[in-house]
Amino acid sequence: MSHRVVIDPITRIEGHLRIEAQMDKAGKTIQSAYSSGTMVRGIEMILRGRDPRDAWAFAQRICGVCTLVHGIASVRAVEDALSYTPPPNAQLIRNLMIAAQYVHDHVMHFYLLHALDWVDVVSALNANPKETSELAQSLSHYPKSSPGYFADMQRKLKHFAQEGQLGIFAQGYWGHPAYKLPPEANLIAVSHYLEALAWQREVAKLHTILGGKNPHPNFLVGGVPCAIDLNSDSALNAKRLAQVQDIITLMRDFVDQVYVPDTLAIAGFYKDWARQGEGLGNFMTYGDFPEMGRDDPSSFLVPSGVILNRDLNNIYDLDLNAADQIQEYVSRSWYNYSSGKDKGLHPYDGETELSYTGPTPPYKQLDTDKEYSWVKSPRWKGPDGSIHAVEVGPLARVLMLYANGHEQTQDMVDYTLKTLELPIDALFSTLGRTAARTLETKLIADAMPMWYDNLIANIKAGDTKTFNEERWEPSTWPKQAKGVGYMEAPRGALAHWIVIEDGKIANYQAVAPSTWHAGPRDANGQAGAYEAALKGHVLHDPKQPLEVLRTIHSFAPCLACAVH
Ligand code: NFE
Ligand code: MG
């Protein structure tokens, strides 16, 4: 039998993702890959029987990385089921909080969780600080780029290395020949890794101002719990609003001066990664960022739709309520369905019944002809009846915006491709996915002042309402109700489906972006996004499978979300 390469865990944080890659006879090329979520959590079960107004506080604990998105999806699901309309200020505050989450999360993912797949920390020790400074200044106006600054950063790094361990940088594949950056570029990136750590402390304060804390800020069905009162010390007042504005500026500066130029500079050395790692070629967005109200998708910054087989000229509509469109399969997952394992279920009728049939840990290899994951396999059925695995997330959103003629997106994409001298097809790749994440961070950060200004304009016009209480009392609810709360989370389309009976949660099902990506094969044997993207990768050294890390990390895997 040919060799199988196993990486477990492949994620630097947030859960346990195991990749098993079946190599060809020569042992160099991945023939087929298997993605396994090796932990289970059961938050959907914990939610049953509870008051729907409390659901967000439990659902939000699905993840500590995308710290607020499950709270938002949850309050939106309850609002959809019970016909609450949050007031415009609440919507704008939510937009600002979601956007801050994106900027925070994408920057941290790039530097802390993905950059070291491209950046050789040990090589940075050989950089010349003066040449590093010249290179940095040629890339950006970021003020921290003097020879002295880089000499200091290098001293810090040398200190780690001399202690006999690289601390937070331990256990990399340093010296692997697939690392292509010159020492000076490596030193810039490692310095920005450390800068990003300090920067995020300030960024997190936006959530503490608008939601009381970070991670896991507070929400409220029907609005936001943050009161606006310019004359109160304990509400959102002029001082706090000014602070929010300063944080938005801090975020945008870091994106413009550090994240975007670093991405472009690093990408220039890795253009071969613009030709591999695509995977499915199918993309889906649910849409998000309403300018005014929840029920007006025409005002969404990110539109919704499905792209099949890279065809940007045909965008399919999607209906999250249609029983036959989105379904989850468990044919290869450790769950049972009462109607049998090969049937898909729409989330309103979804079931979460654990049924582990895998080997007893620790094990060498999974039997991937049987069930092999705690992640379910969501699929979308198109108008012609065919069932598709799809990619969600930054690349899907950038493609959707591009296809819809969104001007800033088209300008950014065209500029990036021109700078890197790459064709449009380059987007469908590992590099394209990582670059799309950077570009959408800029897009969303740049949209924040608009939502901020709209909020200020409302307040100035005398509207300080942040909560709509008219449907608060369960006596006003129907006996039975169901609803879907959807959003664009940093890793992609996220939705929670809720069924309410007699004022309590009768069923609650979440499908996270990483569920779409990490799921195993479905009843028809179709691979999920991670599995498809790895096929054909050539490993320079199967003992140091850096190539697998690059493509899997380009999706920003989060198994806490995927299994929930
Ligand atoms: Ni835990 Fe999250 C969600 C995922 S969004 S990180 O939902 O997947 O970035
Ligand atoms: Mg689920």
Side-chain angles (χ1 to χ4, degrees), residues 56 70 89 121 156 165 192 206 208 242 275 291 298 389 414:
W56 68 268
H70 294 281
N89 286 337
V121 174
K156 228 181 228 180
Q165 38 103 356
H192 293 165
L206 188 141
T208 66
R275 289 189 294 273
E291 218 174 295
S298 67
D414 293 343

Side-chain angles (χ1 to χ4, degrees), residues 253-269:
D253 285 350
F254 199 82
V255 171
D256 287 342
Q257 297 174 3
V258 185
Y259 184 24
V260 172
D262 281 359
T263 305
L264 286 175
I266 292 172
F269 288 90

Side-chain angles (χ1 to χ4, degrees), residues 44 328 376 509-511 564:
E44 289 162 345
E328 286 195 294
K376 295 178 183 173
Q509 294 282 320
V511 181
H564 44 270

Side-chain angles (χ1 to χ4, degrees), residues 43 47 50-62 68-82 84 94 98 219-223 294 483-487 494-500 505 507-511:
I43 291 179
L47 278 157
R50 292 186 187 275
D51 188 318
R53 293 167 299 183
D54 291 342
W56 68 268
F58 292 86
Q60 202 179 39
R61 269 64 187 176
I62 287 173
L68 62 77
V69 303
H70 294 281
I72 294 267
S74 182
V75 293
R76 284 180 176 172
V78 180
E79 286 162 0
D80 184 48
L82 301 175
Y84 279 85
R94 288 179 187 179
I98 300 168
F219 286 111
L220 180 65
V221 169
R294 175 91 198 103
V484 55
Y486 64 91
M487 68 168 307
L494 164 70
H496 291 190
W497 284 260
I498 191 169
V499 180
I500 300 168
I505 298 173
N507 198 10
Y508 199 101
Q509 294 282 320
V511 181

Side-chain angles (χ1 to χ4, degrees), residues 30 40 45 64 69 87 131 168 178 200 207 217-218 225 236 245 256 298 303 331 333 346 365 427 437 471 526 533:
I30 297 180
V40 69
M45 292 140 92
V69 303
E131 286 171 25
I168 48 174
Q200 58 140 7
H207 283 180
N218 296 305
L236 191 57
Q245 194 171 31
D256 287 342
S298 67
S331 335
S333 314
H346 184 270
Q365 187 176 319
L427 288 171
R437 185 170 295 107
R471 307 278 286 154
Q526 283 193 90

